[in-house]
CSV table of all heavy atoms in Angstrom, one decimal:
chain,number,residue,atom,x,y,z
U,46,ILE,N,87.8,92.1,98.0
U,46,ILE,CA,89.2,92.4,98.3
U,46,ILE,C,89.7,93.1,97.0
U,46,ILE,O,89.7,92.5,95.9
U,46,ILE,CB,90.0,91.2,98.7
U,46,ILE,CG1,89.5,90.6,100.0
U,46,ILE,CG2,91.5,91.6,98.8
U,46,ILE,CD1,90.3,89.4,100.5
U,47,VAL,N,90.2,94.3,97.2
U,47,VAL,CA,90.7,95.1,96.0
U,47,VAL,C,92.1,95.6,96.3
U,47,VAL,O,92.5,95.9,97.4
U,47,VAL,CB,89.7,96.3,95.7
U,47,VAL,CG1,89.6,97.2,96.9
U,47,VAL,CG2,90.1,97.0,94.4
U,48,SER,N,92.9,95.6,95.2
U,48,SER,CA,94.3,96.1,95.3
U,48,SER,C,94.6,96.8,94.0
U,48,SER,O,94.5,96.2,92.9
U,48,SER,CB,95.2,94.9,95.6
U,48,SER,OG,96.5,95.4,95.8
U,49,ALA,N,95.1,98.0,94.1
U,49,ALA,CA,95.4,98.8,93.0
U,49,ALA,C,96.9,99.1,92.9
U,49,ALA,O,97.5,99.7,93.8
U,49,ALA,CB,94.7,100.2,93.0
U,50,THR,N,97.6,98.5,91.9
U,50,THR,CA,99.0,98.7,91.7
U,50,THR,C,99.8,98.3,92.9
U,50,THR,O,100.8,99.0,93.2
U,50,THR,CB,99.3,100.2,91.2
U,50,THR,OG1,98.3,100.7,90.4
U,50,THR,CG2,100.6,100.3,90.5
U,51,ALA,N,99.4,97.3,93.5
U,51,ALA,CA,100.1,96.8,94.8
U,51,ALA,C,100.2,95.3,94.9
U,51,ALA,O,101.0,94.9,95.7
U,51,ALA,CB,99.4,97.4,96.0
U,52,PHE,N,99.4,94.6,94.2
U,52,PHE,CA,99.3,93.1,94.5
U,52,PHE,C,100.6,92.4,94.1
U,52,PHE,O,100.9,91.3,94.7
U,52,PHE,CB,98.1,92.5,93.8
U,52,PHE,CG,97.6,91.2,94.4
U,52,PHE,CD1,96.9,91.3,95.6
U,52,PHE,CD2,97.9,90.0,93.9
U,52,PHE,CE1,96.4,90.1,96.2
U,52,PHE,CE2,97.4,88.8,94.4
U,52,PHE,CZ,96.7,88.9,95.6
U,53,HIS,N,101.4,93.0,93.2
U,53,HIS,CA,102.6,92.4,92.8
U,53,HIS,C,103.7,92.4,93.9
U,53,HIS,O,104.7,91.8,93.8
U,53,HIS,CB,103.2,93.0,91.5
U,53,HIS,CG,103.4,94.5,91.6
U,53,HIS,ND1,102.4,95.4,91.8
U,53,HIS,CD2,104.6,95.2,91.6
U,53,HIS,CE1,102.9,96.6,91.8
U,53,HIS,NE2,104.2,96.5,91.8
U,54,TRP,N,103.4,93.2,95.0
U,54,TRP,CA,104.4,93.3,96.1
U,54,TRP,C,104.1,92.2,97.1
U,54,TRP,O,104.9,92.1,98.1
U,54,TRP,CB,104.3,94.7,96.7
U,54,TRP,CG,104.8,95.8,95.8
U,54,TRP,CD1,104.0,96.9,95.4
U,54,TRP,CD2,106.1,96.0,95.2
U,54,TRP,NE1,104.8,97.7,94.6
U,54,TRP,CE2,106.0,97.1,94.5
U,54,TRP,CE3,107.2,95.2,95.3
U,54,TRP,CZ2,107.1,97.6,93.7
U,54,TRP,CZ3,108.3,95.7,94.5
U,54,TRP,CH2,108.3,96.8,93.8
U,55,ILE,N,103.0,91.5,97.0
U,55,ILE,CA,102.7,90.5,97.9
U,55,ILE,C,103.4,89.1,97.6
U,55,ILE,O,103.5,88.8,96.4
U,55,ILE,CB,101.1,90.3,98.0
U,55,ILE,CG1,100.5,91.6,98.4
U,55,ILE,CG2,100.7,89.1,98.9
U,55,ILE,CD1,99.0,91.6,98.3
U,56,ASP,N,103.8,88.4,98.6
U,56,ASP,CA,104.3,87.1,98.4
U,56,ASP,C,103.3,86.2,97.5
U,56,ASP,O,102.2,86.0,97.9
U,56,ASP,CB,104.5,86.4,99.7
U,56,ASP,CG,105.2,85.1,99.6
U,56,ASP,OD1,105.2,84.4,98.6
U,56,ASP,OD2,105.8,84.6,100.7
U,57,PRO,N,103.7,85.8,96.3
U,57,PRO,CA,102.8,85.1,95.5
U,57,PRO,C,102.3,83.8,96.0
U,57,PRO,O,101.3,83.3,95.6
U,57,PRO,CB,103.6,84.9,94.2
U,57,PRO,CG,105.0,85.0,94.6
U,57,PRO,CD,105.1,86.0,95.7
U,58,SER,N,103.1,83.2,97.0
U,58,SER,CA,102.6,82.0,97.6
U,58,SER,C,101.5,82.3,98.6
U,58,SER,O,100.9,81.3,99.1
U,58,SER,CB,103.8,81.3,98.3
U,58,SER,OG,104.3,82.0,99.4
U,59,VAL,N,101.3,83.5,99.0
U,59,VAL,CA,100.3,83.9,100.0
U,59,VAL,C,99.1,84.6,99.3
U,59,VAL,O,98.0,84.4,99.7
U,59,VAL,CB,100.9,84.9,101.0
U,59,VAL,CG1,99.9,85.4,102.0
U,59,VAL,CG2,102.0,84.2,101.8
U,60,GLY,N,99.4,85.5,98.4
U,60,GLY,CA,98.4,86.4,97.9
U,60,GLY,C,97.0,85.9,97.6
U,60,GLY,O,96.0,86.2,98.3
U,61,LEU,N,96.8,85.1,96.5
U,61,LEU,CA,95.5,84.7,96.1
U,61,LEU,C,94.9,83.7,97.1
U,61,LEU,O,93.7,83.6,97.3
U,61,LEU,CB,95.6,84.1,94.7
U,61,LEU,CG,95.8,85.2,93.6
U,61,LEU,CD1,95.9,84.5,92.2
U,61,LEU,CD2,94.6,86.2,93.5
U,62,ALA,N,95.8,82.8,97.6
U,62,ALA,CA,95.3,81.8,98.6
U,62,ALA,C,94.7,82.5,99.8
U,62,ALA,O,93.6,82.1,100.3
U,62,ALA,CB,96.5,80.9,99.0
U,63,LYS,N,95.4,83.5,100.3
U,63,LYS,CA,94.8,84.2,101.5
U,63,LYS,C,93.6,85.0,101.1
U,63,LYS,O,92.6,85.1,101.9
U,63,LYS,CB,95.9,85.1,102.1
U,63,LYS,CG,95.4,85.8,103.4
U,63,LYS,CD,96.6,86.4,104.2
U,63,LYS,CE,96.1,86.9,105.5
U,63,LYS,NZ,97.3,87.4,106.3
U,64,ALA,N,93.6,85.7,99.9
U,64,ALA,CA,92.4,86.4,99.5
U,64,ALA,C,91.2,85.5,99.5
U,64,ALA,O,90.1,85.8,100.0
U,64,ALA,CB,92.6,87.0,98.1
U,65,ASP,N,91.4,84.3,98.9
U,65,ASP,CA,90.3,83.3,98.9
U,65,ASP,C,89.8,82.9,100.3
U,65,ASP,O,88.6,82.8,100.5
U,65,ASP,CB,90.8,82.0,98.2
U,65,ASP,CG,89.8,80.9,98.2
U,65,ASP,OD1,88.6,81.1,97.7
U,65,ASP,OD2,90.1,79.8,98.7
U,66,ARG,N,90.7,82.8,101.2
U,66,ARG,CA,90.4,82.4,102.6
U,66,ARG,C,89.6,83.5,103.3
U,66,ARG,O,88.8,83.2,104.1
U,66,ARG,CB,91.7,82.1,103.3
U,66,ARG,CG,91.5,81.4,104.7
U,66,ARG,CD,92.8,80.8,105.2
U,66,ARG,NE,93.8,81.8,105.5
U,66,ARG,CZ,95.0,82.0,104.9
U,66,ARG,NH1,95.3,81.2,103.8
U,66,ARG,NH2,95.8,82.9,105.3
U,67,LEU,N,89.9,84.8,103.0
U,67,LEU,CA,89.3,85.9,103.6
U,67,LEU,C,87.9,86.3,103.0
U,67,LEU,O,87.2,87.0,103.6
U,67,LEU,CB,90.2,87.1,103.6
U,67,LEU,CG,91.5,87.0,104.4
U,67,LEU,CD1,92.3,88.3,104.3
U,67,LEU,CD2,91.2,86.7,105.9
U,68,LEU,N,87.6,85.8,101.8
U,68,LEU,CA,86.4,86.2,101.2
U,68,LEU,C,85.2,85.3,101.6
U,68,LEU,O,85.4,84.1,101.8
U,68,LEU,CB,86.6,86.1,99.6
U,68,LEU,CG,87.4,87.2,99.0
U,68,LEU,CD1,87.8,86.9,97.6
U,68,LEU,CD2,86.6,88.6,99.0
U,69,ARG,N,84.1,85.8,101.6
U,69,ARG,CA,82.9,85.0,101.7
U,69,ARG,C,82.7,84.2,100.5
U,69,ARG,O,83.2,84.5,99.4
U,69,ARG,CB,81.6,85.9,102.0
U,69,ARG,CG,81.3,86.7,100.8
U,69,ARG,CD,79.9,87.3,100.9
U,69,ARG,NE,79.6,88.3,99.8
U,69,ARG,CZ,79.2,87.9,98.6
U,69,ARG,NH1,79.2,86.6,98.2
U,69,ARG,NH2,79.0,88.8,97.7
U,70,PRO,N,81.9,83.1,100.5
U,70,PRO,CA,81.6,82.3,99.3
U,70,PRO,C,81.0,83.2,98.3
U,70,PRO,O,80.0,84.0,98.6
U,70,PRO,CB,80.6,81.3,99.8
U,70,PRO,CG,81.0,81.1,101.2
U,70,PRO,CD,81.4,82.4,101.7
U,71,GLY,N,81.6,83.3,97.1
U,71,GLY,CA,81.1,84.2,96.0
U,71,GLY,C,81.6,85.6,96.1
U,71,GLY,O,81.3,86.4,95.2
U,72,GLY,N,82.5,85.9,97.1
U,72,GLY,CA,83.1,87.2,97.2
U,72,GLY,C,84.1,87.3,96.1
U,72,GLY,O,84.6,86.4,95.5
U,73,TRP,N,84.5,88.6,95.8
U,73,TRP,CA,85.3,88.9,94.6
U,73,TRP,C,86.7,89.5,95.1
U,73,TRP,O,86.8,90.2,96.0
U,73,TRP,CB,84.6,89.9,93.8
U,73,TRP,CG,83.5,89.4,93.0
U,73,TRP,CD1,82.2,89.0,93.5
U,73,TRP,CD2,83.4,89.2,91.6
U,73,TRP,NE1,81.4,88.6,92.4
U,73,TRP,CE2,82.1,88.7,91.3
U,73,TRP,CE3,84.3,89.3,90.5
U,73,TRP,CZ2,81.7,88.3,90.0
U,73,TRP,CZ3,83.9,89.0,89.2
U,73,TRP,CH2,82.7,88.5,89.0
U,74,VAL,N,87.7,89.1,94.2
U,74,VAL,CA,89.0,89.8,94.3
U,74,VAL,C,89.1,90.6,93.1
U,74,VAL,O,88.8,90.2,92.0
U,74,VAL,CB,90.1,88.8,94.5
U,74,VAL,CG1,90.3,87.9,93.3
U,74,VAL,CG2,91.4,89.6,94.7
U,75,ALA,N,89.5,91.9,93.2
U,75,ALA,CA,89.7,92.8,92.1
U,75,ALA,C,91.1,93.4,92.1
U,75,ALA,O,91.5,94.0,93.1
U,75,ALA,CB,88.6,93.9,92.1
U,76,LEU,N,91.8,93.3,91.0
U,76,LEU,CA,93.2,93.7,91.0
U,76,LEU,C,93.4,94.7,89.8
U,76,LEU,O,92.9,94.4,88.7
U,76,LEU,CB,94.2,92.6,90.8
U,76,LEU,CG,94.0,91.4,91.8
U,76,LEU,CD1,94.9,90.3,91.5
U,76,LEU,CD2,94.2,91.9,93.3
């Protein structure tokens, strides 16, 4: 899951928690 100059617009109570939920085990988030 990648986001360029946009992740700060996401509800911080949702952002990383939802990214973790959508990723496979060992998947990466890149900001």
